[in-house]
Amino acid sequence: MARVSGVVLIAGAMAASCVLSACKRSPASFTSGPTVTAPIVGGPHALPPAAAAPADDGNWTMPGKNYAATRFSALNQITPANVGKLALAFTFSTGTNKGFEAPPLVVNGTMYVITPFPNYLYALDLTKPGAPTKWTFKPKPAAASQGVACCDVVNRGAVYDNGRIFFNTLDGQTFAVDANSGQMVWRTQLGNIQRGETITMAPLVADGKVLVGNSGGEMGVRGWIAALDEGSGKLVWKAYNTGPDKDVLIGPRFHPLYAMDQGKDLGVRSWPPDAWKIGGATVWGWLSYDPETHLVYYGTSNPGPWNPDQRPGDNKWSSGLFARDISTGQAVWFYQSSPHDLFDHDDVNEVILADIPWGNARRPVLFRPGRNGYFYVIDRRSGQVLSATPYGYVNSSKGVDLKTGRLIPAADKEPKPGRVTRDICPASPGAKDWNPAAFSPVTGLVYIPHINLCQDEGHSEANYISGTPYLGADVKMYAGPGGNRGVFTAWDPIRRRPVFEIKEDLPLWSPALATAGNVVFYGTMDGWFKAIDARNGNLLWKFKAGSGIIGQPISYKGPDGRQYIAVICGVGGWAGAIVSAQMDARDPTGALGFANAVKDLPLKTTAGGMLYVFALPR
C-alpha cells in the first residue's frame, strides 16, 4: 500500500462504528534504551559490491546513496566521541504541511530539496552563508491528483545524474530539470489520475534510463514499471506486474527458482477472470541496480482488493521481487514473498545489495527486511532464499519454507467472512513499511527502523469504481507486545540475529543513515532526531525538530571540507495522516485503522516542513 491522502483518506470512506476490540486498546508503558542481545562478532562480514557502491565522493546523488542502496556515508569526521557537539548550521522552510519523506540531495556545493505536493524543487547554494536559494522549479501538477492519492501526497525523492535532476510528480509525470539553471529539459506523462494512478516513488537512473513505477494499489489500478530514455524522456520499455507474459515481459530469459513462480501466464491464471486488470501490484517503493549483471531489482505491492476472498489464487505478480534486465525490461527471475497476500504486506521495501562470506569465497545476495516480518537473504543471481528470519514479532505466519520458498500461513490469523480476526501481527504496515534501513560495511550490520503494531481485521465485499478506493477491509491497529510502537534494530545478517534493539514509543517512519564514524542517525514521529553508537545503540545526541520526522537523513561533505548531517522534518504519510490531514482522533477507523494506533500523535507534534543541517563547531 502506498499510504493515506489528505483528501481521500481511504479509511474515512469505510468508516464504521467501533466494534472491534482495538478501539479500547492503548499503548502500554515500556522501558526505552538499547538492549544489547549479541555483541558484534569479529571476522569476515557482509560488504556491498564495489560496482554498485563506489568510493564516496562526499556527494549524495540518490536516495539510497548508491545503486546498492546502503544509505551509508564513508565520511568519518563525526564520531561517538564528538557527535555530542553537533550544532545547527542552517535551516530552510519548505513551505509545506504534508508528510515529508524525501531526502535532500547534495551535488558539488548545491543542495536539492523536493517537496510533497505541489512537488516544488529547490536548489540551495551551499557555498554561501545560510545556503540561499539559487532557483525554484514549480512543476504545477494537477490539483485533482491530491484526491486520488491513497496515502498522503508524499514524494520519496529525486535523483541527480549527468547534470540533471530527475523526479516524479503526484499526478503521474516524470521531469528532468537542468541542475545548474533549473530549466525543464523534458517531462513525460506516465500515470493516469482518472484511473487512480499517482506516482510517489523516487526514480532510479541507471544505464541511460530513468525507471519509474506507479502507486494506487488501493484504487484498483494495474501495477507497472517503466523505463524512460534519460536524454529524451521517451518510453524505452514498460512491464506490467499482472496479466499475460507478453505484458509482464516474461520470455526466454525468465527462470524463477521455485515451482510456485513457474508456469505460463501466471499473471492471469492465478487470478479470477479479469481480476488481474485491477489487481494492484504497483511499484511505489525502492529499486536497486547491479552494474555487473545489468539487473534491476524491485518489489511489487499488495494485490487488490484487500479482501482476499475476492481474489482466490496466488495473485501473481503481486507482493514479490523481480529481477529484470535494465536494457530490455525482460524478467530474469521472480520470488513471491506473500502469495495471496492477506494483510497488505507489500514487498516494495528496499533491496540492499551485498556480498556475504560463503565457504572460501563470497556470495552475491540481497538483504530485505520485509513487510511480512522476515529478514530475507536472497541470492541475487537466482532468487533463492538463503534465510528468512523474523526481525520483529510475527504470529500471522509460521515461517518460510526454504525448500519451496512459500510463506507458511497461520490458519487462525487468516481473515474470514463473517468474523473479526484479532491480534494479527504484524499489522498491515508490516514489521516495517517503506522507510529504508541502512547497511554499514564497517560493522557489517543492517540498521532497521521499524514498527511494532498488531491489528484486528474484518472483511466486506469491495466494489470497483475507477479512481475510487477498492478495499473491502475494516482494520483497527494498536501497539504490539510490550506496548512500544516502534523499534530500532541493528541486525547481523550473517548470524541472523539482532545485535541491539531500541524500543521507541511511536512507530518509526524515518529511514536510517549509517556513517563510517560509527554513528547512526534516525528520527521519530514526535520530532526527535537521534544519533546512536553503531556498535551498541547508546544514545549519543538528540535534537528536537519542529515537526515529526519521517524523512531520510543524509551525510555530505560541504564546500569547506566538513562533514554535515541533514534531515527534513514534516510529519505525515500513512502513519502521520492523523496530524497532516487533521483527522479526528476519536475515529478509530481513520487512515485505514492506523489513526487508532497513534491517536495521541496530535498531542506530541504538529505539521510543518523544515530542513535542518548540522555540523561540528569549527
Side-chain angles (χ1 to χ4, degrees):
M1 175 174 181
R3 309 311 144 207
V4 181
S5 159
V7 178
V8 173
L9 294 175
I10 283 177
M14 302 170 57
S17 61
C18 181
V19 296
L20 303 186
S21 65
C23 301
K24 298 180 180 179
R25 296 174 186 258
S26 60
S29 60
F30 64 96
T31 302
S32 62
T35 301
V36 178
T37 56
I40 295 176
V41 177
H45 59 243
L47 295 170
D56 195 339
D57 60 4
N59 290 324
W60 197 285
T61 62
M62 64 182 80
K65 174 58 178 177
N66 46 43
Y67 289 141
T70 61
R71 291 176 170 81
F72 170 81
S73 168
L75 302 179
N76 60 7
Q77 294 177 11
I78 299 170
T79 68
N82 62 26
V83 68
K85 298 179 182 178
L86 272 186
L88 201 59
F90 68 89
T91 62
F92 175 76
S93 175
T94 68
T96 59
N97 284 318
K98 294 299 183 179
F100 212 112
E101 296 183 350
L105 303 179
V106 173
V107 184
N108 300 330
T110 301
M111 177 178 286
Y112 301 92
V113 175
I114 177 75
T115 75
F117 184 94
N119 303 131
Y120 289 175
L121 178 66
Y122 296 99
L124 309 180
D125 190 344
L126 299 177
T127 67
K128 297 179 180 179
T133 302
K134 296 173 65 173
W135 51 258
T136 304
F137 179 76
K138 300 181 178 181
K140 299 179 181 179
S145 61
Q146 299 172 91
V148 297
C150 159
C151 313
D152 206 352
V153 295
V154 300
N155 184 290
R156 296 188 178 90
V159 173
Y160 170 87
D161 191 62
N162 197 27
R164 296 174 180 177
I165 301 293
F166 302 88
F167 67 96
N168 300 311
T169 56
L170 189 66
D171 64 346
Q173 298 184 81
T174 300
F175 282 80
V177 174
D178 185 276
N180 290 322
S181 67
Q183 296 299 307
M184 185 179 73
V185 179
W186 55 257
R187 69 174 176 178
T188 301
Q189 184 77 48
L190 285 171
N192 183 348
I193 61 174
Q194 301 304 317
R195 291 200 297 258
E197 288 182 330
T198 52
I199 298 180
T200 58
M201 69 172 294
L204 181 78
V205 182
D207 197 37
K209 297 172 184 63
V210 183
L211 301 179
V212 180
N214 63 338
S215 303
E218 279 62 54
M219 310 295 281
V221 307
R222 184 185 181 195
W224 48 259
I225 183 172
L228 304 177
D229 178 77
E230 182 177 356
S232 66
K234 293 182 179 179
L235 184 68
V236 178
W237 54 261
K238 184 176 184 179
Y240 288 94
N241 298 319
T242 64
D245 288 353
K246 62 180 180 63
D247 291 1
V248 187
L249 299 188
I250 287 177
R253 286 196 65 186
F254 188 58
H255 297 291
L257 181 69
Y258 298 105
M260 66 176 179
D261 299 319
Q262 299 170 1
K264 184 174 177 56
D265 290 331
L266 294 184
V268 174
R269 294 194 294 111
S270 62
W271 294 84
D274 292 334
W276 56 269
K277 296 178 180 179
I278 52 175
T282 56
V283 184
W284 59 268
W286 304 105
L287 289 72
S288 298
Y289 175 61
D290 188 342
E292 290 188 338
T293 60
H294 299 284
L295 294 183
V296 60
Y297 303 95
Y298 73 93
T300 59
S301 79
N302 60 290
W306 276 27
N307 184 344
D309 295 311
Q310 293 184 236
R311 46 174 173 81
D314 273 3
N315 310 135
K316 307 294 185 191
W317 305 92
S318 68
S319 299
L321 178 66
F322 266 113
R324 292 188 183 273
D325 185 298
I326 197 170
S327 298
T328 64
Q330 289 292 314
V332 174
W333 57 258
F334 177 85
Y335 167 69
Q336 192 170 34
S337 61
S338 295
H340 186 62
D341 172 43
L342 301 175
F343 309 113
D344 183 45
H345 285 168
D346 306 46
D347 205 14
V348 301
N349 287 9
E350 66 277 18
V351 184
I352 301 173
L353 276 57
D355 296 333
I356 62 172
W358 197 267
N360 295 322
R362 285 188 170 270
R363 189 164 185 171
V365 300
L366 309 172
F367 292 154
R368 303 210 71 207
R371 283 274 288 274
N372 61 17
Y374 295 90
F375 190 99
Y376 288 87
V377 179
I378 299 174
D379 188 304
R380 66 176 183 267
R381 300 164 301 184
S382 65
Q384 180 184 2
V385 178
L386 304 179
S387 64
T389 311
Y391 64 94
Y393 179 70
V394 178
N395 69 12
S396 56
S397 60
K398 297 182 178 181
V400 177
D401 186 331
L402 297 185
K403 292 182 179 179
T404 64
R406 291 192 76 93
L407 189 69
I408 304 170
D412 62 321
K413 299 303 178 184
E414 181 177 352
K416 293 289 186 181
R419 80 175 193 193
V420 172
T421 303
R422 306 189 187 280
D423 294 311
I424 299 168
C425 310
S428 290
K432 189 179 76 61
D433 201 271
W434 72 277
N435 48 317
F439 167 48
S440 170
V442 176
T443 63
L445 303 180
V446 179
Y447 298 92
I448 311 172
H450 58 114
I451 53 184
N452 178 40
L453 298 179
C454 301
Q455 71 184 27
D456 298 344
E457 182 173 348
H459 285 161
S460 59
E461 184 174 356
N463 296 309
Y464 173 73
I465 302 174
S466 180
T468 65
Y470 182 53
L471 290 162
D474 184 22
V475 169
K476 309 291 189 303
M477 303 181 203
Y478 42 86
N484 57 299
R485 292 165 284 181
V487 189
F488 192 93
T489 298
W491 185 265
D492 185 333
I494 306 302
R495 294 163 186 84
R496 306 193 305 273
R497 65 189 185 191
V499 170
F500 65 79
E501 291 187 333
I502 303 169
K503 294 182 179 180
E504 292 283 358
D505 176 23
L506 292 164
L508 286 182
W509 216 250
S510 158
L513 164 68
T515 69
N518 275 332
V519 180
V520 172
F521 296 87
Y522 68 96
T524 67
M525 289 185 66
D526 53 354
W528 285 105
F529 187 43
K530 298 185 177 184
I532 61 172
D533 192 308
R535 298 160 295 187
N536 53 37
N538 287 337
L539 181 64
L540 305 171
W541 172 89
K542 64 179 181 178
F543 174 88
K544 186 64 166 65
S547 180
I549 299 172
I550 63 171
Q552 178 183 316
I554 68 165
S555 169
Y556 69 91
K557 181 189 291 185
D560 58 1
R562 301 160 69 202
Q563 181 181 2
Y564 289 81
I565 304 294
V567 70
I568 304 177
C569 74
V571 76
W574 189 18
I578 190 172
V579 174
S580 63
Q582 299 180 339
M583 302 174 68
D584 188 343
R586 296 170 296 180
D587 178 9
T589 68
L592 254 179
F594 212 131
N596 189 69
V598 291
K599 53 192 173 185
D600 55 337
L601 187 60
L603 304 176
K604 298 176 181 289
T605 191
T606 56
M610 180 72 74
L611 165 73
Y612 297 91
V613 180
F614 305 90
L616 295 173
R618 292 181 183 273

